């Protein structure tokens, strides 16, 4: 987690802001959120569009409170799931106090990046731009700045920050820039909070994250997690029954693995992560179910994304 002591140099009173994080898939939005908050709030994966919901992470310093909303990565597609994800991001842009646009300095900048830049232009007065992945040997900051100069010709240079969310480099500078445009206001959450995610959602995201890690490129977008039942069996034991849901019968065996090895590993690692996060023991009964073509079902998408 970043050392926030140097943030006192910002000339401002106590502030509070809802900050929407926007960028292309795998630009480093979730990595930034986790680094800034010091906790695992959002799934980090090499698989694009891992984040499906608007996820909140909270950063508290002596200057006030920044409530970050990690939105799904945006890209051009007319598929129903992608359209829902894009709507989620647009809604957050319109309703937040500030926008953090994270741009990947290792990639080319075509129509997809132009679409996102055009989208955040409407909030230019409340915008901070972070050029990410500067630690990567493929990083081309000069090319990135040329793109930004073209898309944001009169944008204040002090609100463009080069950073590495992965290496926790200049993350504080991004926070400083956001505090400078944040309004003076009371906190939205107690200072000990680093997220407002409900327990059921956090557990489902932990399971989904562990599944994605082990399924690699095989079918990460074809799964969702259904929490079937939760109960506090004892004062310090939460019992959870959950299912990894896939689209087709043929995908079921991939998730289960030979001799049920893969689903067992997902379960065990999920339990470990839950016990690290929650102040009580968590036991998970995990199964695999088929929900045929769920990505085309409005009822499922509404439950997952709303």
């Amino acid at each position: 987690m970043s050392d926030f002591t140097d943030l006192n140099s910002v000339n401002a009173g106590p502030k509070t802001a809802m900050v929407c994080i926007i960028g292309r898939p795998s630009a480093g939005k979730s990595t930034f959120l986790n680094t800034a908050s010091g906790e695992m709030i959002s799934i980090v994966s090499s698989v694009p569009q891992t984040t499906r919901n608007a996820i909140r992470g909270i950063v508290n310093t002596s200057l006030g409170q920044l409530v970050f909303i990690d939105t799904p990565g945006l890209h051009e597609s007319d598929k129903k799931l992608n359209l829902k994800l894009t709507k989620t991001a647009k809604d957050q842009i319109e309703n937040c106090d500030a926008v953090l646009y994270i741009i990947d300095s290792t990639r080319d900048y075509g129509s997809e990046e132009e679409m996102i830049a055009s989208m955040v232009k409407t909030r230019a007065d409340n915008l901070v731009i972070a050029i990410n992945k500067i630690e990567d040997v493929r990083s081309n900051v000069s090319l990135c700045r040329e793109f930004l100069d073209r898309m944001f010709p009169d944008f204040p240079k002090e609100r463009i920050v080069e950073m590495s969310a992965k290496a926790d480099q200049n993350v504080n500078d991004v926070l400083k820039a956001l505090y400078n445009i944040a309004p003076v206001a009371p906190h939205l959450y107690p200072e000990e909070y680093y997220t407002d995610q409900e327990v059921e959602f956090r557990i489902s995201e932990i399971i989904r994250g562990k599944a994605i890690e082990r399924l690699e490129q095989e079918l990460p977008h074809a799964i969702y997690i259904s929490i079937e039942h939760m109960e506090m069996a004892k004062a310090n034991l939460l019992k959870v029954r959950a299912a990894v849901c896939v689209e087709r019968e043929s995908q079921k065996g991939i998730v289960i693995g030979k001799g049920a090895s893969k689903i067992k590993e997902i379960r065990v690692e999920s339990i470990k992560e839950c016990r690290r996060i929650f102040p009580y023991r968590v036991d998970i009964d995990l199964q695999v179910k088929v929900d045929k073509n769920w990505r085309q079902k409005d009822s499922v998408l509404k439950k997952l994304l709303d």
Side-chain angles (χ1 to χ4, degrees):
M1 180 171 133
S2 298
D3 178 5
F4 295 127
T5 54
D6 62 333
L7 292 176
N8 290 313
S9 61
V10 181
N11 294 320
K15 295 184 170 186
T16 299
M18 298 283 291
V19 183
C20 178
I21 309 175
I22 294 293
R24 288 166 74 185
S26 301
K29 301 181 297 300
S30 297
T31 301
F32 170 84
L33 178 61
N34 294 337
T35 299
S37 64
E39 294 287 347
M40 184 62 70
I41 304 296
S42 191
I43 296 175
V44 176
S45 169
S46 60
V47 179
Q49 284 196 304
T50 301
T51 300
R52 291 177 179 165
N53 306 75
I55 295 173
R56 291 181 181 178
I58 304 162
V59 172
N60 291 291
T61 74
S62 59
L63 297 174
Q65 187 174 86
L66 297 177
V67 181
F68 288 97
I69 305 169
D70 182 14
T71 60
L74 299 177
H75 76 106
E76 296 173 312
S77 172
D78 58 359
K79 292 183 179 179
K80 184 172 286 190
L81 176 59
N82 292 323
L83 292 174
K84 291 273 189 180
L85 297 178
T86 299
K87 183 181 184 302
T88 297
K90 286 182 176 179
D91 289 345
Q92 296 303 326
I93 291 175
E94 294 174 2
N95 296 317
C96 64
D97 300 305
V99 177
L100 173 60
Y101 172 28
I102 297 183
I103 184 167
D104 185 344
S105 64
T106 69
R107 298 161 71 178
D108 294 331
Y109 311 108
S111 60
E112 196 168 81
E113 198 73 63
E114 289 177 357
M115 174 194 73
I116 298 170
S118 298
M119 190 184 300
V120 300
K121 266 186 178 181
T122 60
R123 301 299 309 273
D125 291 342
N126 305 97
L127 177 66
V128 171
I129 301 174
I131 300 174
N132 194 26
K133 303 187 182 180
I134 61 173
E135 87 290 347
D136 196 303
V137 293
R138 299 167 296 170
S139 175
N140 190 333
V141 174
S142 297
L143 183 63
C144 185
R145 284 191 173 272
E146 288 177 13
F147 169 79
L148 293 174
D149 286 341
R150 176 164 59 86
M151 297 300 298
F152 304 89
D154 302 315
F155 195 76
K157 301 301 181 185
E158 66 271 16
R159 284 198 266 136
I160 301 177
V161 182
E162 298 172 15
M163 75 162 185
S164 168
K166 181 179 180 180
D168 195 0
Q169 182 178 349
N170 298 339
V171 170
N172 272 2
D173 293 332
V174 175
L175 296 175
K176 288 179 186 178
L178 288 166
Y179 274 118
N180 274 330
I181 62 175
V184 174
H187 290 183
L188 296 173
Y189 297 94
E191 289 192 7
E192 66 270 17
Y193 277 41
Y194 60 86
T195 184
D196 69 347
Q197 297 169 6
E198 295 183 359
V199 171
E200 179 175 334
F201 177 78
R202 296 211 75 190
I203 291 175
S204 68
E205 284 293 274
I206 288 168
I207 296 171
R208 190 164 69 92
K210 298 305 179 183
I212 286 174
E213 289 174 7
R214 282 148 188 84
L215 296 173
E216 299 175 348
Q217 301 296 325
E218 291 175 283
L219 66 157
H221 292 307
I223 67 169
Y224 75 89
I225 308 303
S226 172
I227 302 297
E228 311 282 306
H229 181 71
M230 288 199 323
E231 66 171 323
M232 193 63 76
K234 300 177 182 178
N236 66 338
L237 174 62
L238 178 65
K239 300 192 76 171
V240 180
R241 187 171 74 250
V244 179
C245 299
V246 296
E247 288 189 301
R248 298 189 298 276
E249 194 70 36
S250 60
Q251 297 168 339
K252 195 172 178 180
I254 297 173
V255 180
I256 294 173
K258 187 176 180 180
S261 59
K262 191 158 289 187
I263 191 65
K264 180 180 179 181
E265 188 178 352
I266 294 169
R267 173 183 174 270
V268 169
E269 292 304 314
S270 297
I271 290 173
K272 287 181 182 178
E273 184 69 15
C274 285
R275 291 180 179 176
R276 187 187 71 80
I277 291 175
F278 298 111
Y280 42 76
R281 292 172 53 225
V282 177
D283 190 24
I284 301 173
D285 175 17
L286 191 59
Q287 303 174 345
V288 182
K289 291 185 175 181
V290 178
D291 187 353
K292 191 174 180 181
N293 298 324
W294 67 263
R295 282 183 286 184
Q296 300 303 316
K297 296 179 179 178
D298 287 330
S299 59
V300 176
L301 295 178
K302 181 177 177 59
K303 182 179 179 181
L304 293 177
L305 303 178
D306 286 359

